[in-house]
Amino acid sequence: MKPIYIKKLLISEINKVASEPHNYCTNPDTDFTRNRKLSMEKMLQGIIGMESKSLTNELLDLFDASAETPSASAFIQQRDKIRPIAFESIFKNFSKKLMNSFDNDIPVFAIDGSDIQIPTNPTDTESYIAGTNGHKGYNLLHINALYDLNKHIYSDVIIQKARERNEHKAFQELVDCSEITKALIIADRGYESFNSMAHIQEKGWFFLIRVRDGNNGIKQGLDLPESDCFDVNISLKLTRKKTNAVKELLKDKNHYRMVSSTQPFDFLPLKNKKAEPTRFYELNFRIVRFPISEDIYETVVTNLDEDRYPAIEIKKLYASRWGIETSFRDLKYTVGLLNFHSKKVMCILQEIYAHMIMYNFAEMITSHVAIEKKQRKYTYKANFSVATHICRLFYREKTTPPDLEAIIAKNLIPIRPDRHRERNVKAKIFQGFLYRVA
């Protein structure tokens, strides 16, 4: 897919939204009805192309350092008129067109979540987390993203405030709302639940979900081999009714399971009258345990065919889930997701969608640049940091495809497989407006 075509797809989605301001503005009858320097089209293009600079410097770039550049105040007034749904629409439709431009192979998705700290605002009770032990409070948004591991782009996203965070609900909504008929979705152990597995089964998709090894997960109560590695088929009938007849059935732990009234499950009624027949929901899956090092093992549940996907293939598939983790790193630090240009949640949502659009734009262009193979110690890939910068210049019409592709192909970094490093987890705070790069 050529860069010009990718840019054409993005610009067409921006123009489509800009041509219907009444569907995306806070005041449909009055917003963007007059001719201004900062038209809706210019606003959408500018926010999507934003970097991590101060707002004034962003505007100077947008208007080519013209003396007629609008003020930051004018920009803020105009952006307040646009609802985040405008950027969400561009993101989803652009991602959909990118997905449709590929072949008909079954997509492999990873789902995961990531917290983003935004400016502290105690009045926003839905996102505010009070500090403990003398620490200051803070506000968080939580991103639930569906990421295509083969195409390296975000397919869909749901953004929740910290107090409304529900990864299981977001997971199920992302699956149910997708227009894709067949897919494989890979998830970490925070997403294990019978309800999510049932939603995927009803969708006709495949799942591969890591589960807990302790006593509080799906493994609890199943009769499984005592060996370190195993691959067992399970056909589990779930029910909420607990009659004496059902209690007898529940003794067969690998075929019957009770779902409590406090446990969400959308495919069984919450209550059953005694006179009504017992309702069951059948869930079919494999539970596979395999080694990832000499003394560490992982357990997953999947409905993939065991002949086509033995344990060794399941292990490789699950390992590929790490792609979404590295994509979050690139999204936050390379594309600049952590550096916002407003304290308002509405405007921050605009920028989250805008940065995800730019990530997909840059990743799609970069992935189609041919990298010359030479006799080297390592295989090389494009430096995504440089690629993102040059793709932004291309988006702003500051460079053309021959130079674009040559620069991307010239700036490479080695791929070092099986490289391990201790994970240093620490809080990432909001970066103030006065401390931005020039």
Side-chain angles (χ1 to χ4, degrees):
M1 191 185 298
K2 295 183 178 180
I4 291 177
Y5 178 70
I6 297 170
K7 183 178 176 181
K8 184 179 178 181
L9 290 180
L10 176 54
I11 297 300
S12 68
E13 292 304 324
I14 293 173
N15 292 339
K16 187 186 297 182
V17 171
S19 66
E20 301 174 340
H22 55 280
N23 292 331
Y24 303 101
C25 293
T26 54
N27 297 302
D29 296 330
T30 57
D31 292 341
F32 294 102
T33 56
R34 297 169 58 190
N35 291 327
R36 294 177 179 269
K37 293 178 186 177
L38 291 169
S39 63
M40 185 162 183
E41 180 182 352
K42 195 73 171 179
M43 289 297 301
L44 295 173
Q45 289 180 355
I47 293 173
I48 290 172
M50 274 184 172
E51 299 181 67
S52 300
K53 303 176 183 178
S54 67
L55 186 51
T56 300
N57 287 347
E58 297 282 5
L59 287 170
L60 288 171
D61 288 345
L62 182 61
F63 285 87
D64 298 323
S66 169
E68 301 298 319
T69 301
S71 65
S73 176
F75 181 88
I76 291 167
Q77 291 177 52
Q78 288 295 87
R79 80 177 299 179
D80 284 347
K81 299 175 182 178
I82 306 173
R83 293 189 293 151
I85 192 175
F87 294 90
E88 182 182 4
S89 177
I90 295 170
F91 164 71
K92 291 188 175 181
N93 289 328
F94 179 53
S95 300
K96 182 179 177 181
K97 286 186 176 180
L98 292 178
M99 296 284 293
N100 291 339
S101 63
F102 286 86
D103 52 35
N104 295 322
D105 288 345
I106 295 178
V108 180
F109 292 122
I111 186 169
D112 206 350
S114 184
D115 288 329
I116 296 177
Q117 186 168 342
I118 61 176
T120 304
N121 180 12
T123 61
D124 184 5
T125 56
E126 294 173 342
S127 66
Y128 184 70
I129 307 294
T132 57
N133 299 325
H135 295 286
K136 294 181 179 180
Y138 53 92
N139 291 68
L140 286 181
L141 295 179
H142 187 74
I143 294 178
N144 302 275
L146 199 61
Y147 182 77
D148 192 306
L149 292 168
N150 293 328
K151 303 174 182 65
H152 310 292
I153 59 173
Y154 289 99
S155 172
D156 204 353
V157 65
I158 290 176
I159 304 170
Q160 300 169 324
K161 292 187 176 182
R163 295 291 184 184
E164 300 170 337
R165 172 178 170 175
N166 188 329
E167 289 189 325
H168 291 290
K169 185 178 179 181
F171 183 8
Q172 293 149 22
E173 186 176 340
L174 287 169
V175 171
D176 294 342
C177 293
S178 176
E179 297 179 3
I180 298 171
T181 55
K182 281 283 184 183
L184 165 63
I185 189 163
I186 305 175
D188 206 358
R189 56 188 173 187
Y191 289 92
E192 69 168 289
S193 77
F194 288 128
N195 198 24
S196 295
M197 293 162 64
H199 274 266
I200 299 171
Q201 182 173 276
E202 291 294 316
K203 185 75 174 181
W205 285 14
F206 301 100
F207 57 81
L208 175 57
I209 305 173
R210 179 185 171 192
V211 296
R212 298 178 182 87
D213 270 335
N215 296 323
N216 297 319
I218 288 173
K219 283 180 63 179
Q220 182 184 13
L222 294 174
D223 286 329
L224 298 172
E226 295 183 359
S227 57
D228 291 330
C229 300
F230 53 78
D231 187 344
V232 179
N233 286 301
I234 302 291
S235 180
L236 209 56
K237 292 182 175 66
L238 307 175
T239 184
R240 289 194 188 273
K241 204 166 186 179
K242 200 169 185 179
T243 62
N244 289 332
V246 170
K247 288 179 182 178
E248 287 298 316
L249 294 174
L250 292 175
K251 294 178 180 179
D252 186 354
K253 297 180 180 180
N254 282 6
H255 291 91
Y256 293 92
R257 175 70 68 90
M258 185 70 172
V259 181
S260 69
S261 58
T262 59
Q263 184 178 350
F265 194 82
D266 299 327
F267 303 97
L268 288 173
L270 195 59
K271 295 182 180 180
N272 278 128
K273 295 181 180 179
K274 287 186 178 181
E276 294 177 347
T278 303
R279 290 273 302 274
F280 292 99
Y281 181 88
E282 187 170 349
L283 195 59
N284 298 301
F285 57 92
R286 296 158 56 198
I287 185 161
V288 185
R289 184 174 169 84
F290 50 80
I292 59 172
S293 67
E294 291 184 1
D295 56 351
I296 300 176
Y297 296 82
E298 296 289 4
T299 308
V300 299
V301 292
T302 183
N303 60 347
L304 290 168
D305 181 71
E306 61 182 323
D307 294 329
R308 187 175 178 184
Y309 295 96
I312 187 67
E313 293 299 323
I314 294 293
K315 179 180 178 179
K316 291 178 183 178
L317 273 175
Y318 180 74
S320 69
R321 190 203 69 86
W322 192 251
I324 193 172
E325 302 282 0
T326 57
S327 77
F328 278 141
R329 180 195 62 200
D330 290 335
L331 181 64
K332 289 181 176 181
Y333 301 104
T334 302
V335 182
L337 182 64
L338 297 180
N339 299 317
F340 302 111
H341 298 82
S342 176
K343 292 185 177 182
K344 298 177 182 177
V345 173
M346 184 186 79
C347 297
I348 290 173
L349 291 174
Q350 291 176 357
E351 294 193 38
I352 291 175
Y353 288 116
H355 284 307
M356 297 189 81
I357 292 167
M358 184 52 62
Y359 177 93
N360 283 359
F361 178 76
E363 183 62 64
M364 189 56 59
I365 291 174
T366 304
S367 64
H368 285 81
V369 173
I371 305 298
E372 184 181 357
K373 293 184 178 180
K374 297 181 179 179
Q375 292 294 330
R376 296 166 169 167
K377 180 179 179 180
Y378 298 107
T379 303
Y380 280 70
K381 66 177 181 178
N383 184 325
F384 190 65
S385 180
V386 175
T388 299
H389 179 69
I390 195 67
C391 285
R392 273 200 175 107
L393 294 179
F394 171 60
Y395 170 77
R396 293 170 175 167
E397 299 183 350
K398 304 296 183 184
T399 188
T400 53
D403 293 335
L404 167 74
E405 293 160 330
I407 292 171
I408 293 174
K410 183 179 179 181
N411 291 273
L412 307 175
I413 56 174
I415 301 173
R416 296 183 175 93
D418 302 322
R419 195 182 191 195
H420 297 279
R421 183 181 296 172
E422 185 178 349
R423 196 172 184 182
N424 184 19
V425 180
K426 58 182 180 180
K428 308 296 189 299
I429 63 173
F430 172 75
Q431 186 176 357
F433 300 127
L434 299 177
Y435 301 94
R436 299 296 171 85
V437 295

